[in-house]
Amino acid sequence: MAKLRNWTIEERDNLCILTLDLPKQRQNVLSSAVITELDQALDQIEKLDVKGLIVKSAKATGFIAGADVREFQQIETGQQAAEFVQFANQVINRIESLTMPSVAMINGHCLGGGLELALACDYRVAADEPAIKLGLPEVKLGIHPGFGGTVRLIEIIGARSAMDLILSGRTVIPYVAKKMGVIDLCVPTRQLERAAEFVINKKPPPKQAGGIDKIINFGPARYLMAQYLKRQVSSKAKQSHYPAPYAVIELWKEHGDNRDAMLKAEQQSTSKLFTTTTAKNLVKVFFLQEQLKKIGKSGTGKSCRNENFQRVHIIGAGVMGGDIAAWCALRGVTVTLHDRSAEALARATKRAHQLFSKKLKQPRLVERAMDRFQQDPAGNGAASADVIIEAIFENAEAKISLFSDLAKAAKPDAILATNTSSIPLETISAALPRPGRLVGLHFFNPVAKMQLIEIVRGKKTYAKVSARAAAFANRIGRLPVPVKSSPGFLVNRVLTPYTLEAVELLKKGVPASLIDKVATNFGMPMGPITLADTVGLDICYQVGENLSKHFGGALPELLKQKVNNGHLGKKTGQGFYIWEKGRHKKSWSLKGNMTSGQQVDDIEDRLIFRYLNECIACLHEGIVENRSQLDAALIFGTGFAPFTGGPITHIIDQQPAAMLERLKQLHNRYGDRFKPSSGWEEFARKNLP
């Protein structure tokens, strides 16, 4: 047999074992070279006299993590995309056409093109490990499955479940994938190869959707379902911003009952999407995410890579502290949660159990996670912790006193971290014998959804401490971005003027629902009024007050009134909205009329330019190292419209000189809160069209 670089063909016990192992790579991906070699491998396999084929990975960390996204950046024309997609389909279709039964043996992440390859096999078996993810996340790159994934997944599990995965891009663990029918067997890792051999020997009928799922695929039922899906998608994403999910629905609507036509239409549709601006920007966002992961893997020094961080102690069982503790326990870390209030600890424990049940599904895994989540009313866990995180209320004196005590109780090499959202580290570390031990680990709410952690370095923070803090963020599956200690750091400093401008609009009588709608139409995940109510108007006020002390400007009197009246938002049932059962029912409003200067376009500019103005200031002041990190931080920390590629990319795409001119107009009309921040002129000169 011809020797291949990436694939190994082995005959054993009358079986063919086809193993993928990309040299010097941590995980397997389907590059053009890998697919070409797979084609060559199938030439050899088709000549073998064996009873079945097992496709597996030699990587300990995964099966196939999808197509090689690096190659996406080299695709400039629809023709190039079509040639790549067509060839990949031809090769994967050969697996489906084999006369021998085939099984994908999934020992790790099986995503995108990797799952599409697995779907082409007759059977799929997976290790029962909650760390493994399966899914078709292509919509997150601005495209949709193009290697037959839409067709085969719908055939196997039906349009309802398949579209749920494809349109959202969400992933599932093997246990859930088995319940959905995506895989045939979910077994302990040690039994995985035996399970693969078992299905080849037994040759059960391959899974196919039946009943109502089969009926939905035909005629009027499919058209009605397609309309329903479009309404669902449109409530979350505009077609002009994210065309891929709409394209999936359309190709299924038109060709769902004709397999060959849908396979062909799938190729054509995804090929067109490859060259859209959305796809190019979302691929950029993918690499921004990878850059942040690299920071967490190496920090600022290679010595941090192998730290285990087995024990974490958290002070403060409020929403943030409790949810940080729950997330750490979910990620396999033993956590001690300290608070003087038994009620607060009980509430945090209840929320932790809800999170574990949602994420882990299986009772035995939930029980193990709960074992790692330990209430610690006496605070004894501080003495043995590798990481100590303070998450109490935003009061500098209270934090200073707490860290003075922690410095005496903690291990000499323990990370001392604060989750402060706006107080400079120099203020908090002043009482420490070794101020360089203190670092900021600024999480965002809700902790289980927000991927970003700001790694805040003070003037005296030791470089190794910052590096270890970044490594810890990676250990718990979060994206670290190093930021300089400055009031509000990066994310809150940018979000605060954006939110306060929304309150100014409210004060003038603009309805809260319209303000929020304008923001979400731009591409924000939620409107600023909903965001303020969700975070808590008291928190918004505290952060705004801290920032105003350093940067000037007055807080809206309306915000102060709300806080003084105890109307703090979602947590009290009333803020700028009236909240019932976690949802806002109607908005509180002042009497007033919108003036002619408050049309929709003007509202958008007032919100977004306050946001962008602060981005330029932070970049100019070196709050983050570079524009890529700023784009990444504000996409993953605030949800800034990912399809734009981030705020700095958006400014460049819209031409900085033109953006600066519009900002000057807003400054003339609305006053100094729109005064162009330092750095605009220089940025515009350096980024001429």
Side-chain angles (χ1 to χ4, degrees), residues 648-674:
I648 300 300
T649 298
H650 177 66
I651 291 171
I652 293 172
D653 286 346
Q654 299 297 315
Q655 300 187 9
M659 299 290 274
L660 175 56
E661 185 59 33
R662 176 59 178 145
L663 183 58
K664 289 178 179 177
Q665 293 171 7
L666 292 168
H667 180 208
N668 291 334
R669 180 180 295 175
Y670 297 112
D672 281 349
R673 65 182 187 275
F674 285 97

Side-chain angles (χ1 to χ4, degrees), residues 96 100-102 118-124 152 155-157 181-184 199 202-210:
E96 184 179 61
M100 67 184 76
S102 57
L119 292 171
C121 295
D122 297 306
Y123 311 105
R124 289 151 298 282
R152 293 188 177 99
E155 288 176 341
I156 293 169
I157 66 173
V182 178
I183 60 176
D184 297 87
V199 294
K202 289 292 185 181
K203 297 180 186 176
K207 287 187 177 293
Q208 291 288 309

Side-chain angles (χ1 to χ4, degrees), residues 28-30 63-67 92 104 106 109-121 124 135-136 138 147:
N28 291 325
V29 292
L30 290 179
F63 179 66
I64 302 174
I92 289 177
I106 301 167
H109 292 332
C110 180
L111 303 169
L115 181 56
E116 291 186 276
L117 186 150
L119 292 171
C121 295
R124 289 151 298 282
L136 296 171
E138 285 90 340
F147 300 168

Side-chain angles (χ1 to χ4, degrees), residues 189-246:
T189 303
R190 67 182 183 278
Q191 297 176 4
L192 192 55
E193 191 158 331
R194 189 183 304 171
E197 294 175 4
F198 172 81
V199 294
I200 285 178
N201 289 326
K202 289 292 185 181
K203 297 180 186 176
K207 287 187 177 293
Q208 291 288 309
I212 190 170
D213 286 315
K214 193 168 184 178
I215 294 171
I216 285 174
N217 220 43
F218 294 93
R222 189 172 76 249
Y223 300 142
L224 291 172
M225 181 69 173
Q227 292 304 313
Y228 168 77
L229 292 172
K230 281 186 179 179
R231 287 195 299 272
Q232 293 294 103
V233 170
S234 65
S235 68
K236 299 177 181 178
K238 292 176 66 175
Q239 186 169 359
S240 58
H241 294 166
Y242 299 99
Y246 293 90

